[in-house]
Amino acid sequence: MEKFAPTSYTLECVASGREFDDEGWTLEDRACKSPSLVRARYARKQIEIRSDKLGLYKFADWLPVRRMLKGSSAPVSYKSKGLGKYLGLDNLWITFNGYYPSVGATMTTCSFKETEAYSVCARAAEDESRVLVVASAGNTARAFAKVCSDNNIPLLLAVPQDNIAALWFAEPLNPCVKLICCEKGGDYFDAIHLSNIALKAPGYYAEGGARNIARRDGMATTVLSAVTTIGRIPDYYFQAIGSGTGAIAAWEANLRLIEDGRFGDNTMKLMVSQNAPFVPMFDAWRAGSRQMLPYDDDKARRDAEIIDAKVLSNRRPPYGLAGGLYDALKASGGDVLVATNAQARKAGKLFRELEGVDIHPAPSVATASLIKAVADGKIEKNALVMLNITGGGEELFKEGKELWYLKPSLVFPLDPVADDVIAKVGALFK
């Protein structure tokens, strides 16, 4: 991969507006007294799109990266013919993150989580000796595993044991990638809890989730792809959400694009959706609450088991903090929608028939919400609509391939003994 100068940027605390330098892996403003995200403020106010050969790094002007890693792909945006015509929408654009070579999409993990992984891992210093720790419900783990394996970056994944079927690969991984699990019956929150304990072992550091600017700005490339392809900012943005981080990233990209000045000055309405019955952000939004409402742990686990889109089952999302999803929805005039498993399955089947490729359960939820919003008269016929297909082409990619699955090195109970986790995890990379 060609050499390039690290991207120039400062950090800004959303709550206070304080601007300060990144110390290398800064996840928050320690001077801020209230919960808040920090944002990157890039030196280049107008983005220059680089060669497609650079994959995701064609958007490097607005990515907080020190280097380029090998193997990345960028999201691909194209005007829908089949689905747009079916819905009576003149201007429906699909941003496809996955494997669909006929439109130019070549993400081999078949998920937009690749956009996060290539950005986050390229933010880390080349001589970083510590082990990166990532908690995931599935797709994020697969993406980080591929990126770290291909680029020899030490990685510890924490994933619910019920979700490890998502950790498939076209070839065996580099042993620098290891997996720990919370036992069967656990969910994403249990995996996060396990990863937080593992981080107390010496030599490990947190990826940071939504607080990591590289994760959000990597996801934001979906909007950069759409807007630089179309030539203007959309009116509506549809995406299914687990944590809401992708929607926050879309809003932040929108703000940068307005400042760029070449793509219009409108704020696209964030139309985000959850998979019923797991709908904590829908419930909070409908109640007009900045804070998440109480959600019994056992009920949350049961609801997470029921939904098809397991990746949408985050119980502690970045919703109410400054710069979080609540603020993004308020600022954009957006809404939180809901789709059932049955509605999502029907929408996924329809997408395949009309657009020619399979999609994951999460974007099927987004597609179902778009179909319902159109049926309810919420979307004007001539509106410019962006549908973020966050994963697809998995069946197409797997066709005729013998797959390799990552197996856990360690499995822990849902209520693990911290000292046991720290001791065992501490010995994993010795």
Side-chain angles (χ1 to χ4, degrees), residues 13 16 18 28-34:
C13 175
S16 68
R18 186 176 90 90
E28 61 197 356
D29 179 5
R30 288 189 290 272
C32 186
K33 303 300 181 200
S34 58

Side-chain angles (χ1 to χ4, degrees), residues 10-20 29 32 34 36-39 41 322:
T10 56
L11 297 177
E12 180 185 43
C13 175
V14 177
S16 68
R18 186 176 90 90
E19 206 166 322
F20 57 102
D29 179 5
C32 186
S34 58
S36 176
L37 294 177
V38 295
R39 283 186 195 144
R41 291 193 62 83

Side-chain angles (χ1 to χ4, degrees), residues 232-237 266-269 380 382-385:
R232 81 168 179 90
I233 298 164
D235 300 314
Y236 295 91
Y237 171 90
N266 67 301
T267 304
M268 57 188 184
K269 286 180 165 49
E380 309 81 36
N382 61 349
L384 177 50
V385 179

Side-chain angles (χ1 to χ4, degrees), residues 274-283 295 299-310 312 338-341:
Q274 294 209 276
N275 190 178
F278 191 95
V279 293
M281 284 183 276
F282 170 81
D283 289 341
Y295 197 0
K299 182 174 180 354
R301 286 192 185 108
R302 282 197 304 275
D303 290 347
E305 272 180 47
I306 293 168
I307 61 172
D308 284 354
K310 303 292 185 206
L312 304 183
V338 165
T340 63
N341 285 344

Side-chain angles (χ1 to χ4, degrees), residues 394-414:
E394 186 171 325
E395 290 175 28
L396 184 65
F397 178 76
K398 286 178 173 178
E399 225 168 70
K401 290 187 178 70
E402 192 175 332
L403 299 174
W404 184 88
Y405 288 84
L406 180 61
K407 298 284 190 288
S409 298
L410 299 164
V411 178
F412 294 98
L414 296 185

Side-chain angles (χ1 to χ4, degrees), residues 219-233:
M219 286 175 158
T221 59
T222 56
V223 174
L224 302 184
S225 163
V227 171
T228 56
T229 301
I230 300 163
R232 81 168 179 90
I233 298 164

Side-chain angles (χ1 to χ4, degrees), residues 343-365:
Q343 289 166 335
R345 287 171 196 166
K346 188 176 175 185
K349 188 167 177 284
L350 187 68
F351 190 96
R352 184 185 201 131
E353 287 167 8
L354 298 173
E355 296 293 336
V357 68
D358 62 283
I359 59 174
H360 284 166
S364 297
V365 167

